[in-house]
Amino acid sequence: MTGWDEDGDGVLRLPSGRLVRGRGLRAPMPTGHPPTFGVYLLGSAPPEFGWTSRWIRWPDFWLPHDRSYATEVLKETWTRAAGERVEVADHGGLGRTGTALACLAVLDGVPPGEAVAFVRRHYRRHAVETPWQRRFVERFKG
């Protein structure tokens, strides 16, 4: 299966070439192919989307409730991104989504201390909103 269109809105290209779409659920669904796997970073359970998904309980501006589970899901996400259309989303697509994308960058070989800058440069300039989200990425081991 092919991945996302490299020029697609909100698509992050990791150093390995894996593509992961980040998005805010408040915005309309992008046109084109739907994801085959999604990770939703929300304080409450998301609706059914029609594709395989995982929910990480993650309140706005904070960190995941269960960090071990979050790590497990992010590893699965990184693995699936090698051959599937994967998206990571929260309500706005910046803080939690940016944090998760930065963790995926760490899994892909970006040093933890550089992952936030990588995501801000290649995804969205204001991704990863809080100091504790930044520390979460810096300490992320995967």
Side-chain angles (χ1 to χ4, degrees):
M1 175 169 299
T2 61
W4 297 111
D5 174 3
E6 185 174 348
D7 298 322
D9 184 40
V11 176
L12 173 68
R13 177 180 282 281
L14 295 168
S16 66
R18 287 172 166 87
L19 300 175
V20 180
R21 181 174 72 192
R23 75 177 178 107
L25 295 173
R26 281 183 261 178
M29 178 71 149
T31 59
H33 296 291
T36 56
F37 180 74
V39 177
Y40 302 98
L41 317 166
L42 302 166
S44 58
E48 177 59 44
F49 289 102
W51 49 80
T52 303
S53 65
R54 303 284 181 266
W55 167 45
I56 298 175
R57 187 180 184 113
W58 193 330
D60 202 7
F61 297 106
W62 292 98
L63 297 174
H65 278 278
D66 184 337
R67 293 179 192 188
S68 294
Y69 176 70
T71 298
E72 176 185 316
V73 170
L74 290 171
K75 285 179 180 178
E76 178 184 7
T77 304
W78 181 81
T79 299
R80 285 177 173 262
E84 297 181 47
R85 289 185 306 273
V86 173
E87 80 170 1
V88 176
D90 64 30
H91 286 297
L94 289 173
R96 294 168 284 181
T97 295
T99 303
L101 291 174
C103 291
L104 293 175
V106 170
L107 291 172
D108 206 61
V110 175
E114 298 172 21
V116 171
F118 176 86
V119 168
R120 286 178 175 170
R121 189 169 50 255
H122 298 287
Y123 169 64
R124 291 198 180 148
R125 193 175 71 184
H126 298 292
V128 188
E129 296 176 301
T130 67
W132 40 92
Q133 289 172 340
R134 206 167 28 258
R135 276 193 304 273
F136 182 77
V137 173
E138 290 168 356
R139 295 174 181 164
F140 186 76
K141 303 286 188 218

